[in-house]
Every structure is written in structure tokens, then in C-alpha cells.
Amino acid sequence: MIEDLIKQNRSSRRFHQEHAVDIATLKSLVNLGRLSASGANLQPLKYILSCDPEQNAKIFSCLAWAAYLKDWKGPQEGEQPAAYIVVLGDTDISKDAGCDHGIACQSILLGAREKGLGGCMLGSINREALREHLNIAKQYNILLVVAIGKPKEEVVIEEIDTEGSIRYWRDEHGVHHVPKRELEDIIIGEYTA
Amino acid sequence: MIEDLIKQNRSSRRFHQEHAVDIATLKSLVNLGRLSASGANLQPLKYILSCDPEQNAKIFSCLAWAAYLKDWKGPQEGEQPAAYIVVLGDTDISKDAGCDHGIACQSILLGAREKGLGGCMLGSINREALREHLNIAKQYNILLVVAIGKPKEEVVIEEIDTEGSIRYWRDEHGVHHVPKRELEDIIIGEYTA
């Protein structure tokens, strides 16, 4: 059931770093993005893959993690992602990728979850530094970095509290809590026959 | 397998219009979007649902279909979507929804496909007219309209031809052909240990 997979597919930020993710796996995930919808079928997305510890460390240095967890600077050595998929928008194809990267990355992460992996789409990126580290030509906008690995944390969805905060938080057991708006709060109109 | 579902999940633009889609089904689909990732967990997406023929006709009048099929003005009466999900960005929550609507709509359409339904994300919208028809407050950006119904067309993925065109086309049997870039053309860098 796709609903189960979507529910299991929580953003993971701590991983069993020693659990390797090989390049064939990354390619199979990108292939799921490739086969997904694209606005006007332009397909402007391009990808850089890394499962190399040295490059991973460079990519990691360009990422900001979990802005709401003020005391947490991101996963420590040993809990970092084993792989990354850098998602680019090729401006030679389209100036604006629309929401193509959202569509593709959801496919990618659902595929990862099915394989017992998981990850997180990261948009808070030091783009200038990443461009330099990976030698990314100006033609490409850096849209997202998808971290991939074997998750090492428990993530639970919960209702938004009475104060209405959507800030995720971590309890004393390290469980990551994610408040989600209720269905009745996000459906603002219904027309039935 | 999620790969099979993603492959089956082609954009559909002609439907068995008489095959009704009820409001409970639309809500279950929006719930899949609700449970999907959102940038900084802000969850700015709001939704308007319609499975009412009268409202559907109004929504339909605001949509442009399949820009590359010059001689086709969209599905005729009897082949139109039985339902719509209008996806809005609540600017009171966030000025910019990022690619949240791509993430959510991919979940929605994968869920639809699993139920034997299908659809299409439409971004070419007469937003002014739709805003008026559905009485959408200025607070909401109209991001996408997702058409939903029981598909009545065959859609196939194929390689891009030697001229490199990504324009989809329809053959004499009404089969809709969608050229997709090859995996080796969209992966522009690989780092392995």
C-alpha cells in the first residue's frame, strides 16, 4: 500500500553511516525520478551522485540541518548519510524547474524507503561552496540535496499542539516528533454533487 | 513495488467521465499529501476538492491541456475528469511553497493510481478566472490543479528521438507517447569510493 510507504517515509537525519549505499542503488533511485512527471515534459533536472566518503564530507560541509533543533548542528561522524543525490535544474532547458524537483525527490525517497533506506531533502545549502566543491557549472541551479542512508532514528507524526506550532522537536529518548496539520485544517473547500 | 506504480503513473488527460470519484476518495488522496514532506515542515498547502459536475465544468473552463498537441483543445464532454484537487499555497504561512506541491501531488497521484484512478497535474491555469469561480481569497496562491478520474487512454514512455525533442505526441490509435531523457543524460557526475 502506498499509504504505508508514505507514512514510513519520514525525513531521516541520522544514519548508520557504515551501511554503504552503492552507486547502482543511487542510479535506480534517480531512475524513479526520471520516470516521474515533469512540467511540459521539459525534464530540466540533472543529478550528481556521491557514495564516496571524501566527497560526502565536502557535501556535508555545505548543508544546514534541522533548523528548529537549535542545539543540534547535524549528524555526527558515524551518523552521517552514506550517500547524496544533488538535484540540479538545467537552465539551458528551462529557467525554472517549477516543482519538478519535489515530484522527482518524492519518488526517489519512496524508492529509498522501500529498499530499507531513507533520507531527507535538504534545501538549506551553502550553494556557492557546493558549486565549488563539485565543480558545478553556472548553467545548473542547485535545487536540493537529498541525503540517503540507513536511518538510525525514530520519527513520529503527531497532531499540532494547542499553540499551533509546526516546529519538529526531539524528546529525551532521541525520538523526532513532527507535528502535522489536520486534514480538516488543510481542506478549505469541498464541492460534492 | 514502487517502481511499477511510478511507471504506471502516467499523466492522463482523457477519462471515463461517468466513473464517479467520491469526496471520501479525494480526502484520502489529500491525506497522502498531508503526510508527505514539507520544507521546514511549514505545510503551507491548502486544498479545494470538487467531484460536483457543475463546479467541475467551471474548473475545466480555466484549464489549458497538453500544449504540444496543437489540434487538441482538451478532453471532450464524456472524457473529462470526474474530480479535481485544487492545490493552493497559503501565503499567511509561507510566501513561497518551494516544491511542496510537487512532493504532495506526486503522493496524491501515486495514491490515485493504486486505486485504479489517474490524473494529471495542470499548471497552465487561468488563475484569475479560477479564483473568481471558486471564490479563492487573495491569501492563497493557486499552485496546481490536479485532475482525477478513471483513465481512458494509453500512455507510453519512449526514448527521445534523434532530434532530441521532448514533445509528447499522439499516434493514429490515440496512444500518447512521452519521450523521456535517458538516465545517462541526466546524471552528470558520479563519485564512488
Side-chain angles (χ1 to χ4, degrees), chain A residues 10 35 40 42-43 68 181, chain B residues 10 35 40 42-43 68 181:
Chain A
R10 299 297 95 217
L35 294 169
L42 287 171
Q43 309 165 65
Y68 299 139
R181 301 184 195 284
Chain B
R10 299 298 94 216
L35 295 169
L42 287 170
Q43 309 166 65
Y68 300 138
R181 301 186 196 282

Side-chain angles (χ1 to χ4, degrees), chain A residues 87-100:
Chain A
V87 184
L88 308 169
D90 187 339
T91 62
D92 277 2
I93 296 172
S94 179
K95 292 292 171 214
D96 180 358
C99 65
D100 275 17

Side-chain angles (χ1 to χ4, degrees), chain B residues 24-174:
Chain B
T25 299
L26 294 180
K27 285 184 182 180
S28 73
L29 295 178
V30 168
N31 197 43
L32 300 180
R34 183 181 80 85
L35 295 169
S36 300
S38 168
N41 199 38
L42 287 170
Q43 309 166 65
L45 301 183
K46 299 287 171 78
Y47 301 88
I48 297 175
L49 315 180
S50 176
C51 52
D52 170 50
E54 199 176 318
Q55 289 294 334
N56 285 355
K58 288 184 188 172
I59 296 169
F60 180 80
S61 74
C62 301
L63 303 173
W65 294 79
Y68 300 138
L69 305 179
K70 295 296 180 198
D71 298 331
W72 191 67
K73 297 301 173 202
Q76 62 192 24
E77 183 63 37
E79 297 190 343
Q80 292 174 8
Y84 292 97
I85 298 172
V86 180
V87 184
L88 308 170
D90 187 339
T91 62
D92 278 1
I93 295 172
S94 178
K95 292 292 171 213
D96 180 359
C99 65
D100 275 17
H101 44 311
I103 300 169
C105 289
Q106 180 66 347
S107 292
I108 286 170
L109 284 175
L110 289 172
R113 182 60 55 163
E114 192 182 59
K115 290 176 191 290
L117 301 171
C120 188
M121 303 181 207
L122 296 149
S124 189
I125 306 163
N126 182 336
R127 288 175 163 76
E128 204 174 331
L130 186 63
R131 188 178 292 283
E132 194 164 314
H133 284 315
L134 298 182
N135 202 18
I136 298 170
K138 283 193 178 161
Q139 161 189 355
Y140 303 106
N141 286 331
I142 299 172
L143 300 174
L144 286 173
V145 173
V146 184
I148 302 278
K150 188 175 167 62
K152 194 186 178 180
E153 64 178 2
E154 188 186 346
V155 180
V156 294
I157 287 178
E158 59 182 26
E159 290 184 22
I160 289 179
D161 65 16
T162 49
E163 287 171 16
S165 174
I166 47 67
R167 289 169 176 250
Y168 44 75
W169 57 284
R170 242 179 234 168
D171 67 24
E172 67 273 25
H173 306 294

Side-chain angles (χ1 to χ4, degrees), chain A residues 21-191:
Chain A
V21 177
D22 63 19
I23 200 82
T25 299
L26 295 179
K27 286 185 182 180
S28 73
L29 296 177
V30 168
N31 197 43
L32 300 179
R34 184 181 80 87
L35 294 169
S36 299
S38 168
N41 199 40
L42 287 171
Q43 309 165 65
L45 301 182
K46 300 288 171 77
Y47 302 88
I48 297 174
L49 315 180
S50 176
C51 52
D52 169 51
E54 198 177 319
Q55 288 295 333
N56 284 355
K58 288 184 187 172
I59 297 169
F60 180 80
S61 73
C62 302
L63 303 173
W65 294 79
Y68 299 139
L69 305 180
K70 295 296 180 199
D71 298 330
W72 190 68
K73 297 299 172 203
Q76 61 193 24
E77 183 61 38
E79 296 188 346
Q80 293 174 7
Y84 293 96
I85 298 172
V86 180
V87 184
L88 308 169
D90 187 339
T91 62
D92 277 2
I93 296 172
S94 179
K95 292 292 171 214
D96 180 358
C99 65
D100 275 17
H101 45 310
I103 300 169
C105 289
Q106 180 65 346
S107 292
I108 286 170
L109 283 176
L110 289 172
R113 182 59 55 166
E114 193 181 59
K115 291 176 190 290
L117 300 171
C120 187
M121 302 183 209
L122 296 149
S124 190
I125 305 162
N126 181 337
R127 288 176 164 76
E128 204 175 332
L130 186 63
R131 189 178 292 283
E132 194 166 316
H133 283 316
L134 298 182
N135 201 18
I136 299 171
K138 283 195 174 157
Q139 161 189 355
Y140 303 107
N141 286 330
I142 298 172
L143 300 173
L144 285 173
V145 172
V146 184
I148 303 279
K150 188 174 168 61
K152 194 185 178 180
E153 64 179 2
E154 189 186 346
V155 181
V156 295
I157 288 178
E158 60 182 27
E159 290 185 22
I160 289 179
D161 64 18
T162 49
E163 287 173 14
S165 174
I166 46 67
R167 289 170 177 249
Y168 44 76
W169 56 285
R170 242 180 234 167
D171 67 23
E172 66 274 25
H173 306 294
V175 176
H176 189 86
H177 296 255
V178 180
K180 285 288 188 192
R181 301 184 195 284
E182 294 299 297
L183 197 56
E184 59 263 32
D185 295 329
I186 61 172
I187 296 173
I188 63 167
E190 291 177 34
Y191 299 97

